[in-house]
């Protein structure tokens, strides 16, 4: 089985061309990480929710082919991160977390995410 573990479902192009191209090239499943740079490096909590909702819609639309990751930005409160992670990871076919690229994993802001993931 071939799984593409790093696929971004960009809102402007839609996910259909990505899925069609993957299938045409023998890929069995793809992991959708979301349109994570749509709002720049520091999206608001509302923008994070929108990115995750769009990814969830694509995961549901292509059920059995797409897996999803929950997008988070550690610049937000630990409470928001944990709440959003629980909301998204409880959905069918979600299996991981995509962190905003501008954060070092050793920063203390990462602690709520790591502590919650240990419980999953």
């Amino acid at each position: 089985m071939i799984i593409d573990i790093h696929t971004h479902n960009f809102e402007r192009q839609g996910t259909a061309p990505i899925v069609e191209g993957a299938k045409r090239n023998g890929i069995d499943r793809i992991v959708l990480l979301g349109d994570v740079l749509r709002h720049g490096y520091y999206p608001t909590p509302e923008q994070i929710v929108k990115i995750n909702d769009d990814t969830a819609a694509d995961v549901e639309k292509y059920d059995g082919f797409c897996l999803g990751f929950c997008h988070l930005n550690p610049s937000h409160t630990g409470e928001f991160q944990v709440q959003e992670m629980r909301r998204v990871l409880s959905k069918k076919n979600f299996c991981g977390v995509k962190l905003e690229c501008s954060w070092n994993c050793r920063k203390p802001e990462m602690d709520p995410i790591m502590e919650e993931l240990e419980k999953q």
Side-chain angles (χ1 to χ4, degrees), residues 8-63:
H8 293 281
N9 47 319
F10 297 110
E11 182 181 49
R12 66 185 175 278
Q13 74 183 41
T15 304
I18 296 167
V19 169
E20 291 163 9
K23 288 180 177 180
R24 205 173 36 252
N25 287 288
I27 295 172
D28 300 297
R29 293 190 99 174
I30 61 175
V31 176
L32 298 177
L33 304 176
D35 192 356
V36 300
L37 293 179
R38 179 187 328 167
H39 305 290
Y41 287 113
Y42 298 100
T44 66
E46 294 79 18
Q47 292 167 331
I48 292 282
V49 169
K50 173 74 169 122
I51 291 167
N52 287 329
D53 285 348
D54 289 349
T55 300
D58 283 339
V59 168
E60 185 176 331
K61 182 176 182 177
Y62 300 102
D63 185 30

Side-chain angles (χ1 to χ4, degrees), residues 34-107:
D35 192 356
V36 300
L37 293 179
R38 179 187 328 167
H39 305 290
Y41 287 113
Y42 298 100
T44 66
E46 294 79 18
Q47 292 167 331
I48 292 282
V49 169
K50 173 74 169 122
I51 291 167
N52 287 329
D53 285 348
D54 289 349
T55 300
D58 283 339
V59 168
E60 185 176 331
K61 182 176 182 177
Y62 300 102
D63 185 30
F65 189 75
C66 294
L67 300 169
F69 272 32
C70 172
H71 178 55
L72 295 174
N73 187 330
S75 67
H76 303 302
T77 67
E79 180 181 345
F80 169 77
Q81 294 173 68
V82 169
Q83 179 184 12
E84 182 65 358
M85 195 176 350
R86 287 178 180 167
R87 181 183 80 86
V88 175
L89 292 180
S90 69
K91 296 178 183 296
K92 182 180 177 186
N93 292 323
F94 271 78
C95 58
V97 171
K98 164 67 171 136
L99 297 172
E100 185 59 47
C101 63
S102 57
W103 281 87
N104 185 301
C105 66
R106 293 179 298 247
K107 286 188 164 193

